[in-house]
Amino acid sequence: MNRLTRRIFLASSVLGAQTPYTPKQSDRPEILTDDESGFEPIFDGSSLSGWEGDPRYWRVEDASIVGEITPETIVKSNTFLIWRGGKPKDFELKVDYRITPAGNSGINYRSVTVSDPVRTEHKFAMRGYQCDIDGKNVYTGQNYEEKGRLFLALRGQMTHVVGGRKPIVFSTFGDAKEALSSDWNSVHLIIRGNTLTHMINGRLMSVVVDDDEANRTAAGEIGVQVHVGPPMKVEYRKFRLKSWR
């Protein structure tokens, strides 16, 4: 066996030689289950290491991040638990959540920490894209830009954001409210370039194509929210991230 042949043999052994896929006329797209390749946990399941927020509202319990507002800790402005491990640009994010009927929360991404005009001492306000979540499932799955351009896409909409006017509805694809559970739900965000896709429980919730160059963000922080309102509780578990760049 010559040197070149040996290198090819060893490479094939290490990588696992596979026959290249050749499309056939009979092939159709298929559902891929348990697709966790490339995802890394960003919550260790036992502590808030790597995260920062007001401890009056955030804790870890039963391997979940818990955000809770009690009658004694009513908030005057929205507050976040913020992941300090990076500012992803293009990525996929998966996480499970459960929320009480009166709850209001959301998953922020490509966001920035900002000052709070309501509470100047408050260090955990955010501005940026949000996959909205609420217990009554009025807003769950929509794209709402916290402290920014507000409603970018409602659930069941694909929109085009151009700036200087309301977002334009490209298409509607049906309100998938029936896919949402009062127990645990699985979020999957696919954030690539200026296209922002929200999915929950395997159903498409909203898509935004953001061409508003003056106001959009290309990278930023990830955070989860407890919202102004009555006492509530939200739980997040199994946070994992796949960064593309």
Side-chain angles (χ1 to χ4, degrees):
M1 182 182 295
N2 63 39
R3 184 175 299 177
L4 178 59
T5 304
R6 180 178 175 79
R7 286 179 179 174
I8 294 173
F9 173 79
L10 290 174
S12 298
S13 299
V14 171
L15 297 176
Q18 296 180 352
T19 303
Y21 167 64
T22 302
K24 301 186 296 293
Q25 186 62 37
S26 59
D27 287 348
R28 297 294 185 271
E30 62 184 14
I31 295 174
L32 185 62
T33 58
D34 299 322
D35 179 24
E36 294 294 324
S37 177
F39 283 89
E40 298 290 342
I42 61 172
F43 164 54
D44 64 18
S46 60
S47 74
L48 292 179
S49 175
W51 296 75
E52 187 179 12
D54 190 328
R56 289 176 293 181
Y57 305 107
W58 299 101
R59 66 182 187 274
V60 174
E61 187 176 279
D62 297 330
S64 298
I65 292 173
V66 178
E68 186 169 21
I69 297 174
T70 67
E72 295 73 35
T73 60
I74 296 295
V75 293
K76 295 181 180 179
S77 58
N78 302 340
T79 186
F80 286 81
L81 180 72
I82 303 168
W83 181 59
R84 299 302 193 187
K87 298 180 180 180
K89 184 175 183 179
D90 288 355
F91 63 91
E92 292 184 47
L93 179 71
K94 291 183 178 182
V95 62
D96 297 344
Y97 78 88
R98 180 168 62 182
I99 191 168
T100 53
N104 194 330
S105 185
I107 305 164
N108 266 52
Y109 59 91
R110 286 187 179 174
S111 296
V112 295
T113 306
V114 295
S115 59
D116 186 347
V118 177
R119 293 188 299 151
T120 56
E121 78 284 2
H122 180 210
K123 300 187 297 181
F124 305 110
M126 299 191 86
R127 182 181 70 244
Y129 299 112
Q130 181 182 108
C131 177
D132 215 337
I133 293 169
D134 71 293
K136 293 183 173 60
N137 290 324
V138 175
Y139 306 111
T140 301
Q142 73 176 12
N143 196 318
Y144 179 84
E145 190 174 66
E146 175 86 2
K147 289 182 169 57
R149 295 166 293 171
L150 308 180
F151 292 90
L152 300 183
L154 303 183
R155 187 171 61 233
Q157 291 182 340
M158 178 180 184
T159 62
H160 188 205
V161 181
V162 295
R165 58 163 298 166
K166 295 178 182 178
I168 302 161
V169 177
F170 267 160
S171 178
T172 58
F173 44 84
D175 186 335
K177 183 176 180 178
E178 76 281 357
L180 302 171
S181 169
S182 59
D183 198 37
W184 288 100
N185 295 273
S186 296
V187 176
H188 186 183
L189 306 181
I190 301 178
I191 311 303
R192 302 290 295 269
N194 65 335
T195 303
L196 319 168
T197 303
H198 296 176
M199 296 181 290
I200 301 179
N201 297 335
R203 296 287 298 275
L204 184 62
M205 295 287 151
S206 64
V207 180
V208 170
V209 178
D210 193 350
D211 280 328
D212 182 4
E213 293 187 15
N215 295 297
R216 71 188 184 193
T217 53
E221 296 173 315
I222 291 170
V224 288
Q225 177 197 67
V226 288
H227 198 282
V228 171
M232 60 152 283
K233 182 179 179 181
V234 64
E235 301 163 85
Y236 291 98
R237 68 182 185 185
K238 301 178 182 177
F239 256 109
R240 56 251 198 241
L241 179 71
K242 181 198 294 188
S243 292
W244 295 99
R245 56 175 176 159

